[in-house]
Amino acid sequence: MPSVYIKTYGCQMNERDSEAVAAQLVAKGYTLAKSEAMADVVLLNTCSVRDMAEQKALNKMKSMVGVAKKERPNQIFGFMGCMAQSRGQELIDKLPDVDLVVGTQKFHRTADYLDEIFAGRRDKIVDIAAEEKSEATIREHLLNGNATKSVTAFVSIMQGCNQYCTFCIVPYTRGEERSRGIADIVAECRELVSRGVKEITLLGQIVTSYGRRDIPVRDGKSAFVQLLEAVHEIAGLERIRFTSPHPKGYGDDLVVAYGRLPKLVESAHLPVQSGSDRLLKLMHRGYTRERYLGIIEKLRKAQPRIGITTDIIVGFPGETETDFEETLSLAREVEFDNAYIFKYSPRKDTPAAALDGQLPQAVKEERNEALLNLINEIGARHYEKFVGCRTEILVEGPSKKNPARMMGRTRCNKIVVFDGAERHGGQLMDVRIERVGAFTLYGEPAIVNLG
Ligand code: SAM
């Protein structure tokens, strides 16, 4: 059977989609190649959130088809995911050596399309149509005995987004919000736990909007909180995370859940995007600075140890120095544990791309750097507080940077590197934190574990 290599750009949902496609191909007998040079099929799973991600994937494909023409004329190339969805046929018109373009509702068709191409029944295939129930097709997992993979898993609970933030391309690439049923998701989680998974991250573009059109509020609990409760029931599951929520999804039912569901870890990623009410309105975010700060306050009251991270966009059209100052002051006020900072990138067909006041790249760079410095400074203070403390981690496997050491995560989502052994992989254990690095804690096992 042929071998396949999948390269993924972008978010955790893309990682999850790639994993499901890889697992579907493995189930058909494909092997997973270690590099594109060794693969019969190369698939790029693309991201459209910023132009840079699109250009990276396009350049990668250009260079690969160039080499393949000379060295591997039978190699098959495909684009999947968000850029495939937004550009479709145009990708094959521009790069005629590409064989396959699979949109965001068609990941599960990839294996069949490759069969057709290998059998010579079809030459080029572009499928970016919508497909009913495609939200329930990302379910296969690759738990291949690698400790990093088998102790934690991501579960896709929904697809699409109805928020239509004016900067964001996602509603156009991922389609309308569609949610899977609770029983279906719980069955997938249960199966993962039976295979050794201890931590599950529920995934969606806006997870907190899960099921809101299909599952009625019950006893004051939203569909998402009902799902959390159902997953929480699974014996053997130790930790539940979710990403990415929207601040407006933090109703009291979810805030209270942090205090009453022990498996729901003390970690929340709350994308704020800006500290300026004027910009939040232009972005169509649906909350004000005051409401955002109120949510953070409630969360910290319900769970004082909670780690809070965010996404922030700098250089949105018309962002003044005053607007940017408000973002800096919000970051100081919240004291985020960490933040992903994005330089605004105009996206095709989004309202913000047509706004007056597009800012020069130099201004975006300058604001990016200023905010990054502040986030690093605040983050370092948070991390310092852990020194000398004992904390529980779930050991995921060898550290990526130094495979001689082991790596785990605290409940509040901080990476801990420690001198451990392979037998620690997959264990929940206590470590004592001895020092900090850049957004990393270094520790030692608090109890010598002979197991
Ligand atoms: N659930 C998230 C939310 O509440 O907005 C959306 C996740 S989005 C795919 C990831 C992040 O990419 C966003 O939070 C935003 O900060 C950033 N982003 C989206 N569109 C962008 C654009 N046009 N330019 C720069 N950053 C962008």
Side-chain angles (χ1 to χ4, degrees):
M1 278 303 281
S3 61
V4 61
Y5 179 72
I6 305 180
K7 183 167 173 62
T8 309
Y9 298 83
C11 64
Q12 283 154 324
M13 292 203 72
N14 288 9
E15 293 285 351
R16 176 69 199 104
D17 295 337
S18 293
E19 185 198 11
V21 172
Q24 287 157 10
L25 290 170
V26 166
K28 279 206 148 206
Y30 282 74
T31 56
L32 299 178
K34 288 209 159 45
S35 75
E36 74 229 28
M38 294 157 84
D40 300 303
V41 178
V42 182
L43 301 171
L44 298 188
N45 190 10
T46 57
C47 168
S48 281
V49 165
R50 286 168 298 149
D51 186 52
M52 200 175 70
E54 291 206 356
Q55 295 311 323
K56 268 194 197 163
L58 286 169
N59 290 337
K60 179 77 187 166
M61 186 61 89
K62 268 183 218 156
S63 77
M64 287 192 307
V65 293
V67 175
K69 248 188 189 156
K70 288 184 222 139
E71 295 173 13
R72 299 181 289 276
N74 295 325
Q75 214 170 9
I76 291 185
F77 291 100
F79 281 113
M80 306 190 294
C82 290
M83 184 174 67
Q85 185 70 39
S86 75
R87 297 194 183 213
Q89 177 67 38
E90 175 201 324
L91 291 168
I92 290 189
D93 295 343
K94 271 197 182 146
L95 293 163
D97 294 311
V98 170
D99 306 282
L100 180 62
V101 177
V102 178
T104 53
Q105 302 196 27
K106 298 293 181 172
F107 287 110
H108 58 294
R109 302 263 176 221
T110 307
D112 293 340
Y113 289 151
L114 287 173
D115 280 352
E116 292 192 33
I117 292 171
F118 274 119
R121 286 195 294 275
R122 287 169 78 180
D123 184 21
K124 307 274 173 199
I125 301 178
V126 176
D127 187 0
I128 56 169
E131 185 174 320
E132 235 176 89
K133 302 271 172 240
S134 61
E135 65 275 11
T137 59
I138 303 294
R139 52 200 319 145
E140 292 83 357
H141 292 262
L142 272 184
L143 301 176
N144 56 4
N146 168 344
T148 315
K149 287 245 161 75
S150 61
V151 69
T152 64
F154 290 83
V155 172
S156 176
I157 64 168
M158 62 196 295
Q159 289 287 331
C161 180
N162 288 0
Q163 179 64 26
Y164 289 92
C165 298
T166 56
F167 52 79
C168 191
I169 198 169
V170 168
Y172 313 99
T173 58
R174 291 265 174 186
E176 288 272 296
E177 213 170 80
R178 291 113 48 217
S179 299
R180 296 171 64 186
I182 291 184
D184 190 27
I185 296 168
V186 170
E188 184 177 330
C189 296
R190 220 181 271 287
E191 161 74 13
L192 287 165
V193 172
S194 77
R195 291 162 72 186
V197 165
K198 291 187 175 157
E199 175 183 297
I200 285 177
T201 304
L202 304 175
L203 281 182
Q205 290 300 335
I206 296 191
V207 271
T208 39
S209 297
Y210 168 80
R212 65 187 165 144
R213 284 184 301 185
D214 315 318
I215 303 169
V217 171
R218 215 186 51 215
D219 302 329
K221 292 172 204 157
S222 63
F224 182 61
V225 171
Q226 292 174 46
L227 173 66
L228 287 176
E229 286 182 341
V231 174
H232 195 270
E233 291 278 295
I234 300 173
L237 177 65
E238 303 279 358
R239 292 175 166 191
I240 306 171
R241 299 185 188 278
F242 57 84
T243 198
S244 171
H246 188 286
K248 71 176 186 178
Y250 276 84
D252 288 344
D253 58 334
L254 180 53
V255 172
V256 169
Y258 276 97
R260 72 181 175 84
L261 299 178
K263 294 180 186 177
L264 182 58
V265 293
E266 296 82 73
S267 170
H269 180 70
L270 276 129
V272 68
Q273 315 300 356
S274 171
S276 150
D277 278 341
R278 197 182 71 82
L279 287 199
L280 288 173
K281 199 163 178 199
L282 278 175
M283 290 175 164
H284 192 234
R285 289 294 292 171
Y287 53 84
T288 59
R289 175 189 176 105
E290 190 186 345
R291 172 137 179 246
Y292 184 86
L293 290 172
I295 294 165
I296 302 285
E297 195 184 324
K298 277 198 290 187
L299 275 173
R300 284 190 167 141
K301 205 175 265 171
Q303 191 46 269
R305 288 186 307 274
I306 199 158
I308 295 182
T309 54
T310 195
D311 292 345
I312 301 176
I313 295 179
V314 294
F316 185 81
E319 182 187 64
T320 61
E321 277 298 331
T322 313
D323 293 319
F324 180 60
E325 278 301 325
E326 286 176 24
T327 296
L328 293 174
S329 78
L330 179 114
R332 277 187 214 104
E333 197 166 338
V334 176
E335 298 205 328
F336 292 110
D337 290 68
N338 202 349
Y340 298 93
I341 306 170
F342 301 92
K343 287 169 260 180
Y344 171 70
S345 171
R347 308 311 297 129
K348 189 173 90 171
D349 300 332
T350 58
L355 286 177
D356 289 337
Q358 303 287 328
L359 296 179
Q361 192 60 22
V363 173
K364 295 180 191 173
E365 301 283 353
E366 207 175 283
R367 290 181 184 170
N368 182 67
E369 198 186 330
L371 185 56
L372 197 61
N373 289 340
L374 177 63
I375 294 294
N376 287 345
E377 184 193 311
I378 298 169
R381 282 206 297 273
H382 270 290
Y383 278 67
E384 282 293 340
K385 285 186 205 152
F386 280 83
V387 176
C389 295
R390 182 175 165 151
T391 183
E392 178 202 275
I393 60 167
L394 177 61
V395 185
E396 294 183 10
S399 155
K400 279 195 191 113
K401 281 192 193 145
N402 177 1
R405 310 193 85 193
M406 297 296 278
M407 168 269 178
R409 244 172 244 274
T410 66
R411 287 175 59 94
C412 60
N413 211 16
K414 296 190 169 47
I415 289 176
V416 179
V417 173
F418 67 102
D419 274 325
E422 258 194 65
R423 69 190 154 83
H424 291 125
Q427 287 193 28
L428 278 171
M429 61 186 281
D430 279 4
V431 286
R432 187 171 298 284
I433 304 303
E434 302 195 321
R435 63 187 175 90
V436 294
F439 294 105
T440 306
L441 301 170
Y442 293 89
E444 290 300 332
I447 301 171
V448 178
N449 192 330
L450 301 172

